Amino acid sequence: MSSGSGADSAPAPTTHETLAEKPAAGARKSSMFSSLKVRNYRLFFMGQVVSNIGTWMQRIAQDWLVLSLTGSATAVGVTTALQFLPMLLFGLYGGVLVDRLPKRRTLLFTQSAMALTGIALAVLTLSGHVQVWHVYVAAFAVGLATVLDNPARQTFVSEMVGPDQLQNAVSLNSANFQSARLVGPAVAGVMITGVGTGWAFLFNGLSFVAPLAGLLLMRSRDLHAVQRAPRGKGQLREGLQYVAGRPELIWTIVLVGFVSTFGFNFPVYLSAFADDVFHAGAGSYSLFNTLMAVGSLAGALLAARRGTARMRVLVAGAVAFGAMEIVASMAPSLWLFALLMAPIGMFGMTVNVTANSSVQLSTDPAMRGRVMALYMMVFMGGAPIGAPIAGWITDAYGVRAGLAAGGAVSAVAAVTIGLVLARMGNLRLAVGWHHGHPSVRFVPRETRELAAVA
């Protein structure tokens, strides 16, 4: 594949650069909302505000409906697994198609499909005919649409804003999603207890009108043109070889895989804590999600302000995320557990945004669809493996053991990968004082004497 023009492609940083001091190529510090000056991205952003609120409402309603119908945390895990199973099975092929197809038209199709799925589930629930297998089918259908929607949506951001604003736009997308998480669960909790889950599903289906309108109102001439990959043989293998030859990509994706598979099973953990540990209702489950969203929003805005995507930030964020999950698993009261959701959300979002923007900035635009499909396959496709395991541990040994185990795996994976990358980059861990403050950082081995006196 052609590497593309220099304006659209950022050179991949070396392992030495990603763990040490140099920021990811193409990233630069900017104002927190600078990418919103781009009209097309502003339309996209506003459409996603409405749609994301509906998405969070449906997530809460879906988990609570399954728990109400079955009384089983394993069933909630199965629902989550079915929603992400298509990404695990077909995600790479979705990336190949996204590299070939026009991104805006692809998103018009996928967003329409997800809207129809939400409306269908609303009709079944409001009519009183819903069964758990209906929810399973709906979750799987959304997952099928996601196979194309996620890589198309991720890569379309760079076409809207260009490489200079990519880090900022990725961070604001995450802030957008987490802002909706503040509203969606709260509204869903009131709606579920007041009028039932069906209305939350209906709102989600109708909310897709906003992003569809935004896509239709965009100006094609203002998009940053990216040459689409022609149809040909071996494109899937080519994408895998591209990632395998770049340590900064492969190890980032591996770390995200461990964290997402074992640490991000919140539909299982939070519903079980609300129902089984603290014996509370849907309102407490919504509260947990809302407070986690507060932390996630803070993490996303800090990433937008930071404007860089460093591997050391990713590793440190994953270690902190796992440690906080272990602490939360031992929380003796509902309110302490709820308060711990904020730092868990902040560190989890640090991992998400840093990994996402680092992978995109390090990837050739002509390969971005396939690379992001692999990234999203690992990030979302871990749920079919992790969610049933988390559900089984929760049912067999208790949710406290499940959450602690997920946090431990995340932290150990982060430390291990950090040490592997440091060894590959001929770096060492320096602990001491830096500019008058305590410092723990990776530095080149040849600067050992200088680091000791810094």
Side-chain angles (χ1 to χ4, degrees):
M1 277 290 176
S2 169
S3 63
S5 64
D8 290 329
S9 179
T14 65
T15 304
H16 177 105
E17 290 166 347
T18 53
L19 271 177
E21 298 298 325
K22 188 173 179 178
R28 64 183 184 184
K29 192 168 183 177
S30 59
S31 65
M32 189 173 289
F33 304 102
S34 58
S35 55
L36 288 177
K37 297 175 183 177
V38 180
R39 179 182 181 275
N40 283 344
Y41 179 70
R42 192 163 59 247
L43 288 169
F44 176 85
F45 185 90
M46 290 188 296
Q48 290 299 310
V49 168
V50 180
S51 180
N52 285 336
I53 291 174
T55 296
W56 276 110
M57 290 177 66
Q58 175 147 327
R59 283 192 178 188
I60 301 300
Q62 177 179 279
D63 295 340
W64 201 255
L65 176 61
V66 171
L67 193 64
S68 300
L69 291 172
T70 66
S72 170
T74 302
V76 178
V78 169
T79 306
T80 303
L82 286 171
Q83 185 161 333
F84 297 120
L85 182 62
M87 180 62 72
L88 181 63
L89 297 177
F90 312 118
L92 291 176
Y93 297 98
V96 172
L97 289 175
V98 165
D99 276 338
R100 296 175 184 171
L101 299 172
K103 308 297 188 297
R104 184 158 60 144
R105 292 180 186 175
T106 302
L107 289 172
L108 285 169
F109 169 77
T110 57
Q111 298 277 295
S112 298
M114 288 189 281
L116 292 175
T117 302
I119 292 172
L121 193 56
V123 171
L124 286 169
T125 307
L126 291 173
S127 65
H129 294 98
V130 69
Q131 299 179 38
V132 68
W133 72 267
H134 292 143
V135 185
Y136 288 165
V137 171
F140 189 76
V142 170
L144 284 175
T146 301
V147 168
L148 287 177
D149 185 81
N150 257 302
R153 193 155 34 84
Q154 297 287 337
T155 56
F156 189 52
V157 173
S158 64
E159 294 188 24
M160 287 185 286
V161 303
D164 290 343
Q165 294 290 345
L166 181 59
Q167 161 79 12
N168 183 263
V170 168
S171 300
L172 289 184
N173 279 351
S174 298
N176 186 333
F177 192 66
Q178 299 306 324
S179 297
R181 193 175 179 181
L182 294 172
V183 179
V187 175
V190 173
M191 192 171 287
I192 291 170
T193 55
V195 295
T197 56
W199 293 101
F201 296 139
L202 181 61
F203 183 94
N204 178 57
L206 296 177
S207 71
F208 283 96
V209 172
L212 289 171
L215 290 167
L216 291 171
L217 290 171
M218 287 183 184
R219 297 171 182 163
S220 298
R221 65 179 181 273
D222 292 341
L223 295 174
H224 294 254
V226 174
Q227 184 178 1
R228 298 202 300 269
R231 184 181 180 87
K233 294 182 179 179
Q235 290 178 323
L236 177 58
R237 183 175 63 255
E238 185 181 19
L240 293 175
Q241 290 173 343
Y242 180 88
V243 173
R246 289 162 173 77
E248 75 281 356
L249 292 180
I250 189 66
W251 286 111
T252 297
I253 292 173
V254 168
L255 178 54
V256 166
F258 274 103
V259 174
S260 64
T261 299
F262 298 101
F264 278 14
N265 295 299
F266 297 115
V268 177
Y269 298 141
L270 300 190
S271 60
F273 263 97
D275 193 47
D276 299 335
V277 177
F278 300 120
H279 308 292
S284 295
Y285 180 47
S286 297
L287 174 65
F288 297 156
N289 280 277
T290 300
L291 290 175
M292 185 176 290
V294 172
S296 299
L297 177 59
L301 292 176
L302 287 173
R305 182 67 176 173
R306 186 166 57 243
T308 59
R310 298 178 180 178
M311 184 59 117
R312 62 175 183 166
V313 174
L314 174 62
V315 171
V319 171
F321 171 79
M324 291 307 301
E325 284 198 330
I326 295 173
V327 173
S329 71
M330 299 181 286
S333 68
L334 184 150
W335 288 108
L336 179 58
F337 180 82
L339 290 175
L340 288 170
M341 293 301 100
I344 288 175
M346 183 180 70
F347 291 122
M349 185 52 56
T350 298
V351 173
N352 187 4
V353 171
T354 305
N356 187 309
S357 54
S358 176
V359 168
Q360 291 208 54
L361 287 165
S362 301
T363 302
D364 187 319
M367 301 292 295
R368 198 167 281 155
R370 278 162 283 182
V371 174
M372 289 309 297
L374 177 61
Y375 173 85
M376 295 308 300
M377 184 189 76
V378 172
F379 181 70
M380 301 179 64
I385 301 171
I389 292 175
W392 174 76
I393 294 175
T394 296
D395 286 340
Y397 302 101
V399 66
R400 292 187 184 276
L403 183 58
V409 170
S410 300
V412 170
V415 170
T416 302
I417 291 173
L419 293 174
V420 168
L421 286 171
R423 185 177 181 84
M424 291 175 62
N426 195 31
L427 303 174
R428 67 176 186 85
L429 189 67
V431 180
W433 291 86
H434 185 65
H435 298 306
H437 300 284
S439 173
V440 179
R441 57 196 175 116
F442 288 102
V443 298
R445 292 183 182 276
E446 58 268 22
T447 63
R448 184 169 186 170
E449 292 78 8
L450 293 176
V453 299

